[in-house]
Amino acid sequence: MDVARTEVEPRKARTRAFKAGTAVRLGLIAVPVAFFAVFFAYPVSAIVARGLKVDGAWQFGRLTEVLGQSDIRHVLWFTTWQALASTALTLLIALPGAYVFARFDFPGKQVLRAVVTVPFVLPTVVVGTAFLALVGRGGLLDELWGVRLDTTVWAILLAHVFFNYAVVVRTVGGLWSQLDPRQEEAARMLGASPLKAWRQVTLPALGPAVAAAALMVFLFTFTSFGVVQILGGPTFSTLEVEIYRQTSEIFDLSTAAVLTIIQFVAVGAILAVHAWTVRRRESALRLVDASVTARRPRGAGQWALLAGVLAVIVVLLLLPLAVLVQRSLDAPDLGYYRALTSADGGVFLVPPIEAIGNSLQYAVVATLIAVLIGGLAAAALTRRDAGRFVRGFDALLMLPLGVSAVTVGFGFLIALDEPPLDLRSTWILVPLAQALVGVPFVVRTMLPVLRAVDQRLREAAAVLGASPWRVWREVDLPMVRRALLIAAGFAFAVSLGEFGATVFIARPDNPTLPVAVARLLGRAGELNYGQAMALSTVLMVVCAVALLVLERLRTDRTGEF
């Protein structure tokens, strides 16, 4: 009797543990699934259906018809190869920066880290104009050396590196700074050269973070709009530019819907391959306090590396920003800034200066939503007992980065305009759209660190009687607190600079900073252009201050991990 009882009790315990794990997993994933179903899948499917349905019947023949056009095939080819080239160039230039910020300690590091992230949140139309002033006719390069790049693809590639430098530095550098350097040192003591030790020890550990950064860069450049629109002119066009042209200039919604489907399928395939490759390379890593891995450079080689990275930051990142500041100060007595306090120009229903408060409020709400949804999704994806559906959701979370923002914006207007989801006249619509773009950053930033936590620590806590919530609070949270703050900073920065979808749903009396800049740039006149530069400068300052505060909070409150 006692023997039978000893055999039955463990089975019951395992059954209860399995049921509890299943309930936790389903609870974690339910909210993100519902969020993406309502605010992404539903609006996008609504706009696609509007374009491909005629008198209630689907017109799938348009797919073959559109793909048969030579100009569309050229757009597809250019979109793909420029995204691959931009991703490779960004990794080549930014990975040394990720190492410097992860392993070196030098004066002004926190300020510089915040400055590096500023370009990522600038509206694309502003950066395109700044690069045009640098590399176009009458630009800095033209005046100094008679060199123009605005008619070549190099202007587009360099602008993409400008945008995405921070993605690699913060995503890869965040994990790199927590890797135990003693593992690489042990390999060198066993006879491995510095390059071999890095290639065989550090690089495999960084693999998931590098893959995540490369994926984000590729998706951003694959769907590039403002940069290509301004710097590409009539010669170069991406899918995003063509969707916008078909929608707003030619009014051919069916062709735009076909292009949206093509972009959706391509991005889905890329994400599926990424999820499979990253899953195969997962491993538990030995993570340490980031503050003990950073030290002052030693030797001429390390000082030269630091100098080289600083030179890249100055030339590639700070110079375009300096052009914006200089142009905002062209008017005497800060005339462009003074004009922001008045709505007399007729461009806005309210003074443009109010866009600052609107953007900050929207960004805070969007960050809270993105951290909640992304944090739950990352926790669910980390569980070893996650089912196939949960693992597949990993790739789906990245789709908002690869789907046309024009499509999402129009979809919000079409799908969310009647009960029970009549949100078109409410303020929450803007942060919801911004959070869609922020969630993938939260997931991709937290997931490598969560998956690097040794599963045995969670199992030991569970064996000692800790509930799933307590395991997360006392095991996972202390280790991922730093990644969580970095993810929140990314979400906040993305929300500040989001333009593609917001331009369609922001109310005229509550514009955001990017929308206000685009409206001013769209109107002729020196005053409007100067105000656009002034607002862009304000956006840079606001972002830099917010990111600097985040850096100090991260350093002060995550000393133990």
Side-chain angles (χ1 to χ4, degrees), residues 26-330:
L26 293 177
L28 290 173
I29 204 67
V31 176
V33 168
F35 178 81
F36 274 83
V38 173
F39 298 112
F40 177 69
Y42 178 45
V44 170
S45 61
I47 192 66
V48 171
R50 181 70 64 91
L52 292 182
K53 267 190 175 182
V54 178
D55 297 328
W58 289 93
Q59 303 295 319
F60 290 110
R62 284 290 293 162
L63 290 168
T64 305
E65 182 180 340
V66 171
L67 286 175
Q69 301 175 18
S70 60
D71 56 337
I72 296 298
R73 291 199 300 270
H74 177 74
V75 168
L76 289 172
W77 167 245
F78 176 75
T79 301
T80 302
W81 86 258
Q82 67 82 24
L84 290 171
S86 297
T87 303
L89 189 61
T90 303
L91 290 175
L92 180 65
I93 294 177
L95 280 177
Y99 174 80
V100 166
F101 280 103
R103 294 302 198 198
F104 289 173
D105 186 20
F106 53 90
K109 177 180 176 179
Q110 293 181 10
V111 176
L112 191 61
R113 193 197 302 269
V115 170
V116 162
T117 311
V118 172
F120 183 73
V121 305
L122 291 179
T124 55
V125 290
V126 174
V127 176
T129 304
F131 267 82
L132 195 62
L134 289 175
V135 303
R137 176 177 297 176
L140 183 62
L141 293 182
D142 192 15
E143 292 179 355
L144 294 178
W145 298 293
V147 176
R148 289 180 55 193
L149 299 178
D150 57 321
T151 56
T152 71
V153 73
W154 279 105
I156 296 174
L157 298 181
L158 290 175
H160 284 163
V161 176
F162 172 88
F163 267 115
N164 297 296
Y165 187 90
V167 174
V168 178
V169 168
R170 298 186 74 94
T171 303
V172 179
L175 179 59
W176 207 337
S177 64
Q178 291 183 271
L179 293 181
D180 192 343
R182 290 173 296 183
Q183 299 181 45
E184 187 173 328
E185 293 170 0
R188 294 185 61 182
M189 290 180 62
L190 294 175
S193 65
L195 178 61
K196 185 176 181 180
W198 180 82
R199 188 177 67 248
Q200 295 185 353
V201 178
T202 304
L203 185 59
L206 290 175
V210 173
L215 176 66
M216 287 189 284
V217 173
F218 182 86
L219 289 180
F220 276 122
T221 53
F222 189 81
T223 59
S224 182
F225 174 63
V227 168
V228 179
Q229 179 83 343
I230 294 176
L231 299 177
T235 307
F236 304 109
S237 178
T238 58
L239 270 174
E240 188 84 358
V241 173
E242 190 64 23
I243 290 172
Y244 176 80
R245 191 173 72 89
Q246 295 288 341
T247 302
S248 62
E249 297 179 8
I250 304 178
F251 303 107
D252 188 351
L253 198 56
S254 64
T255 299
V258 170
L259 295 178
T260 297
I261 292 174
I262 294 172
Q263 185 169 298
F264 190 86
V265 171
V267 170
I270 295 167
L271 293 176
V273 173
H274 167 77
W276 180 74
T277 55
V278 170
R279 193 77 184 176
R280 286 170 58 89
R281 294 189 299 183
E282 288 178 12
S283 60
L285 304 176
R286 183 184 299 172
L287 303 181
V288 297
D289 185 351
S291 63
V292 304
T293 63
R295 53 178 173 76
R296 291 184 64 83
R298 300 174 183 173
Q302 292 188 357
W303 280 107
L305 176 61
L306 176 59
V309 169
L310 293 178
V312 168
I313 292 174
V314 169
V315 174
L316 186 62
L317 303 185
L318 297 185
L319 188 57
L321 301 182
V323 171
L324 296 181
V325 175
Q326 183 271 326
R327 292 193 174 189
S328 72
L329 298 174
D330 277 348

Side-chain angles (χ1 to χ4, degrees), residues 21 24-30 32-33 36 274-275 278-279 282 373-398 439-440 442-453 455 458 472 476:
V24 171
R25 183 174 66 251
L26 293 177
L28 290 173
I29 204 67
V33 168
F36 274 83
H274 167 77
V278 170
R279 193 77 184 176
E282 288 178 12
I373 301 298
L376 291 174
L381 294 170
T382 307
R383 295 185 63 85
R384 301 296 179 182
D385 58 348
R388 183 174 300 176
F389 168 75
V390 176
R391 291 194 297 269
F393 191 62
D394 184 7
L396 296 178
L397 288 169
M398 298 296 292
V439 168
V442 175
V443 175
R444 295 263 70 88
T445 303
M446 294 184 61
L447 205 52
V449 179
L450 277 172
R451 285 176 171 170
V453 177
Q455 179 66 15
R458 301 187 183 104
W472 160 255
D476 292 81

Side-chain angles (χ1 to χ4, degrees), residues 450-467:
L450 277 172
R451 285 176 171 170
V453 177
D454 195 334
Q455 179 66 15
R456 290 172 296 182
L457 296 176
R458 301 187 183 104
E459 294 172 352
V463 169
L464 293 175
S467 64

